[in-house]
Every structure is written in structure tokens, then in C-alpha cells.
Amino acid sequence: EAGVAQSPRYKIIEKRQSVAFWCNPISGHATLYWYQQILGQGPKLLIQFQNNGVVDDSQLPKDRFSAERLKGVDSTLKIQPAKLEDSAVYLCASSLAGTATAQAFFGQGTRLTVV
Amino acid sequence: SQQGEEDPQALSIQEGENATMNCSYKTSINNLQWYRQNSGRGLVHLILIRSNEREKHSGRLRVTLDTSKKSSSLLITASRAADTASYFCATATLLNSGYSTLTFGKGTMLLVSP
């Protein structure tokens, strides 16, 4: 079974530039998560989709971050404009359903460096 | 915000010893999960314990859950150098929408020396 695919693996941009990350979840997984993990910290949930609808985006900085999952499969996370503090690993995860007993499967992440 | 708080922040042991990590959380949960993260394999799910369970085993892993104290512990027995990684607890909590979300703690860094 193929895992969660993310691209790119690494990205270096200058502050105020824009960047986009792509995620393809495991086939059949209705729930998709985007997490931000700053070095030395635990993953912080940015946004959670159930199919193509948003179920939680309370910690997404909406003035600069946006995400979509138009067909309920793959997803894109965008940052525009980037700030230095956005340097982190962006993790995508998926699970069968956002129910009480679902474990999450994670991609390898995209390491973003903003200079 | 991060729900779980792991303790200790870092742990250094010798191969063959047991490692115990603790997690405390603040709100009621549906289940609690433990994940491992190392540079080679990213975040990997280890074990899930439901809110109505008190103890669960999987190979060399033993997880306990005390919902009255809002705490959990992860025990790794007979540790190996390959167990060197960061360990995170994650709590599954119910959203108003009826779906469940997963919130991670700050993690415990475990170093197992040969």
C-alpha cells in the first residue's frame, strides 16, 4: 500500500515570497491533516479536512496560509507571503475517517527554510 | 494549542534498560495515541489506547491510561539503539462537528546508547 506522498521534500525561499506544498493521501482516506512542526517541538495542527470540507482550521494563520482539497483527494497548502517564523517541517497525514479510533499515517514532510 | 505534555523532555539510557515516558493532557479524550519520530522514517504510529481501556501491550511496548488523572505512560522494555527517537503522545478529541481531531504534545527525546 502506498503511503502519504508529499512534495517537495525541501524548499528554501526568501521572506515575503510565496510557496506551495502538495500532499497525496493514502487511497480511500477521508481525513487529511496538515501539521506544522517547528524544530524541537511537537506537530501543531493547521487544518483538517474531511473529504473536501474543512472540519478544523482554528490554528491556521488565515492572513497568510490557505489550503484546499478540491476533489477530496490530494491537497495543497500555500503560504503567501512567507515570514521567517514559518521555517518548519510541514507534515501531511491521512486517516480512514475522523472518528474516535483512527490512527494517522504521515508523509515524510516538506522542510521549509525562509531566509 | 498542544494538549499533551510529555515528561521527561529528554531521556538517556543504555541498551537493555527500560524507558518510561509520561504524558499529561487537559481535556476529555476519545483515545490516546503514541507516535515515534526519527530522521529516517518520519512520524510513525506505535499504539492506540481507547478512553475505556487502562492498559495495552504491543511487543515491547506497554501503554497505560488513567483518565481520572488525565495521564498516560509509555514503557519500552529491553530498549535497543534503534529505539533512539522522539516519542509523542497525541490525544484524539471530539470536535463540535462530530469528527475527531488529533493533537500532539511536545515529545520526549530518547537516546539509547549501545
Side-chain angles (χ1 to χ4, degrees), chain A residues 99-102, chain B residues 29-33 48-51 90-92 100 102:
Chain A
T99 60
T101 57
Chain B
I29 61 172
N30 287 324
N31 68 68
L32 187 143
Q33 305 177 27
L48 180 155
I49 186 165
R50 295 179 174 81
S51 59
T91 51
S100 182
L102 202 57

Side-chain angles (χ1 to χ4, degrees), chain B residues 93-113:
Chain B
T93 54
L94 208 57
L95 298 168
N96 291 336
S97 60
Y99 293 104
S100 182
T101 193
L102 202 57
T103 305
F104 284 79
K106 296 180 181 179
T108 292
M109 289 181 57
L110 174 65
L111 174 63
V112 182
S113 302

Side-chain angles (χ1 to χ4, degrees), chain B residues 11-68:
Chain B
L11 181 60
S12 183
I13 60 174
Q14 300 289 320
E15 264 192 329
E17 294 181 339
N18 296 340
T20 300
M21 288 158 265
N22 302 297
C23 170
S24 59
Y25 57 92
K26 298 175 182 175
T27 63
S28 61
I29 61 172
N30 287 324
N31 68 68
L32 187 143
Q33 305 177 27
W34 285 90
Y35 288 77
R36 179 180 64 208
Q37 185 177 43
N38 57 33
S39 57
R41 292 196 58 198
L43 261 168
V44 175
H45 179 266
L46 294 176
I47 193 166
L48 180 155
I49 186 165
R50 295 179 174 81
S51 59
N52 61 353
E53 297 177 314
R54 291 297 167 258
E55 188 171 311
K56 202 160 183 181
H57 296 255
S58 176
R60 293 185 296 114
L61 305 179
R62 173 180 171 256
V63 171
T64 62
L65 179 65
D66 186 334
T67 53
S68 66

Side-chain angles (χ1 to χ4, degrees), chain A residues 66-100:
Chain A
S66 65
E68 59 183 15
R69 192 185 184 198
L70 291 176
K71 296 183 179 178
V73 181
D74 56 351
S75 175
T76 303
L77 176 70
K78 296 179 182 177
I79 308 175
Q80 182 179 12
K83 293 185 176 181
L84 296 177
E85 59 260 36
D86 298 332
S87 293
V89 176
Y90 290 84
L91 297 165
C92 179
S94 69
S95 66
L96 270 173
T99 60

Side-chain angles (χ1 to χ4, degrees), chain A residues 30-34 45-62 65-77 98, chain B residues 95-101:
Chain A
T31 303
L32 186 146
Y33 310 84
W34 282 104
L45 180 68
L46 293 176
I47 190 167
Q48 178 178 341
F49 292 94
Q50 184 69 19
N51 297 308
N52 60 349
V54 176
V55 297
D56 186 7
D57 64 356
S58 57
Q59 298 190 90
L60 185 74
K62 298 180 184 65
F65 286 65
S66 65
E68 59 183 15
R69 192 185 184 198
L70 291 176
K71 296 183 179 178
V73 181
D74 56 351
S75 175
T76 303
L77 176 70
Chain B
L95 298 168
N96 291 336
S97 60
Y99 293 104
S100 182
T101 193

